[in-house]
Amino acid sequence: DAGDGTMGGLVAFFAAQSTETTPEKGYEVTLADGSVVKQNYGVFTHTIFSALAKNPAMTYRQLAQSVLAGYAAGNMLKPTPLFEGKLRAYFLFCFFLFVGPVSYYYTTPYTEGLFLLLTVAALVLLKQRDYIAAGFTGAFMTATRSTGLILVFAILIQALTDHRKDGGTVRSFIAGIFRRTDLMLAIALVPVGLCCLALYLYVHSGQYIGVDGRGDALAFVHIQRAWGRAFQNPFGNLWLALSGQYKSGWTWSIGTELAFGLAAIGGLVLSLVMAIRRQWAWAVFTAFGVLLPLSTNTYSMIRFVSGLAPVLILGALMLARWKWLFYVSLAVFLILDVLLLPTWIARTYYLM
């Protein structure tokens, strides 16, 4: 939170660019005796404290947006505030969604955009220890994509982490888990969305794929046979994808299978980084989010990995750590978007 100086890393707010001056203005201030006087304050300082007075719990990004909105409302073109810190990561995250190499997944009628939004909301709620709200969000996740079921593991891991932070032990957590009505309700809520989808398919899909007028409640599973999906060893599938391209001879090009395999490796590596950073709920969610679709085959792994919010958030944080890398990433994202979009449009299997 912006109002709490004990949380978060370094975030720097600058009142102006290095070539600009920082003006002061007279503002009306109500004193303790009720009288109103005019006192001079820096425009930037006054705008910041006014925003914090309205909402002390706002994030740094919200505070920066409030400052810019205050300047715009006052028609102030100069000076130009400057913000440094993890705001770069926020910008890079959004840039990747809108102009990144797989931006078509978030800007066309796919489930990735909605699933990403719901995942971010669920992770924020877990951080705030609002497990029931996180479970309710999980219900919408499973209605969007069946892999949303892995949020159950994230809820349990986050609850265990919070329990240990409060001085508890793993043993006491396990012993009392069934008495935690908030956790039990949160876990029970997650599959509700998937159950609603199955019920809808059972009622409405009979005229297309059902038997005796009855629909197929598990149509979203059975339809995967069209892509030859069947549960196998995920690491065996990964090895086939990585080695298949070179069985007929060495080549430096990156084919579709190899690209899918590299995407899976990237997701697994980042889940390991999350575990090293002790972001256990993120790590478990990401690892299962990669291994579950990988256990069928590697098709669409780019899509599955790019739909995992922890992967994108951690990636943005890592790439925004140094300013030079941040700007290089922006250029690379834009170039790859221009190059890959025509390829995606031309090849039907990119639609999977």
Side-chain angles (χ1 to χ4, degrees):
D1 295 341
D4 187 348
T6 65
M7 298 179 63
L10 173 65
V11 177
F13 282 35
F14 300 94
Q17 305 288 327
S18 58
T19 57
E20 299 173 338
T21 59
T22 54
E24 292 186 352
K25 288 177 60 177
Y27 295 94
E28 292 186 349
V29 178
T30 303
L31 302 180
D33 60 1
S35 59
V36 179
V37 297
K38 269 198 170 185
Q39 294 184 359
N40 285 337
Y41 289 97
V43 174
F44 188 69
T45 302
H46 183 270
T47 307
I48 285 180
F49 279 96
S50 297
L52 285 175
K54 296 176 182 177
N55 181 14
M58 67 171 56
T59 64
Y60 289 110
R61 180 175 60 170
Q62 291 170 335
L63 180 58
Q65 292 171 342
S66 296
V67 170
L68 295 176
Y71 274 48
N75 197 27
M76 294 180 56
L77 301 179
K78 296 287 184 178
T80 310
L82 180 65
F83 310 100
E84 290 287 345
K86 292 189 177 178
L87 293 167
R88 285 204 302 263
Y90 288 123
F91 182 85
L92 191 61
F93 176 81
C94 296
F95 190 89
F96 182 85
L97 296 182
F98 288 101
V99 202
V102 290
S103 59
Y104 38 79
Y105 287 142
Y106 313 113
T107 54
T108 48
Y110 283 98
T111 59
E112 272 62 35
L114 179 58
F115 190 76
L116 200 67
L117 172 65
L118 293 170
T119 305
V120 171
L123 294 176
V124 170
L125 290 167
L126 286 179
K127 185 178 180 180
Q128 298 172 347
R129 303 193 181 195
D130 194 344
Y131 307 116
I132 295 177
F136 183 75
T137 306
F140 288 97
M141 289 174 63
T142 57
T144 305
R145 285 173 59 173
S146 58
T147 49
L149 286 171
I150 58 181
L151 184 68
V152 168
F153 301 103
I155 292 174
L156 289 173
I157 295 298
Q158 186 62 49
L160 173 59
T161 302
D162 295 337
H163 181 75
R164 295 194 65 188
K165 284 182 181 179
D166 295 337
T169 63
V170 175
R171 184 176 180 178
S172 63
F173 176 79
I174 295 175
I177 190 171
F178 291 106
R179 294 192 294 272
R180 292 283 305 273
T181 54
D182 57 338
L183 280 182
M184 293 297 99
L185 179 58
I187 293 171
L189 282 171
V190 173
V192 168
L194 187 60
C195 293
C196 291
L197 173 62
L199 179 61
Y200 177 86
L201 291 173
Y202 181 80
V203 173
H204 293 283
S205 65
Q207 57 180 318
Y208 305 108
I209 56 177
V211 179
D212 297 330
R214 297 190 302 272
D216 184 1
L218 298 178
F220 59 92
V221 176
H222 297 155
I223 200 172
Q224 299 301 320
R225 296 169 184 166
W227 287 278
R229 292 186 181 273
F231 284 105
Q232 304 173 48
N233 180 359
F235 298 102
N237 288 334
L238 180 59
W239 173 249
L240 289 175
L242 296 175
S243 61
Q245 180 170 329
Y246 304 109
K247 287 182 177 179
S248 58
W250 180 264
T251 174
W252 286 101
S253 63
I254 298 179
T256 306
E257 289 285 346
L258 181 59
F260 289 155
L262 292 175
I265 290 178
L268 292 174
V269 168
L270 286 177
S271 70
L272 179 60
V273 174
M274 295 170 200
I276 294 173
R277 292 162 58 101
R278 296 184 181 276
Q279 295 173 307
W280 302 113
W282 288 28
V284 170
F285 183 87
T286 301
F288 277 98
V290 174
L291 291 175
L292 187 60
L294 188 59
S295 65
T296 56
N297 56 43
T298 56
Y299 288 132
S300 304
M301 283 309 303
I302 294 177
R303 179 182 173 190
F304 284 118
V305 173
S306 61
L308 296 172
V311 168
L312 302 189
I313 295 172
L314 180 58
L317 289 171
M318 294 172 66
L319 294 175
R321 186 171 183 179
W322 295 282
K323 186 179 291 186
W324 67 269
L325 185 57
F326 167 75
Y327 287 112
V328 169
S329 300
L330 292 179
V332 170
F333 287 168
L334 182 59
I335 292 171
L336 288 177
D337 185 45
V338 173
L339 293 177
L340 292 179
L341 184 58
T343 304
W344 171 76
I345 294 173
R347 300 185 180 183
T348 57
Y349 51 75
Y350 275 85
L351 294 172
M352 294 188 297

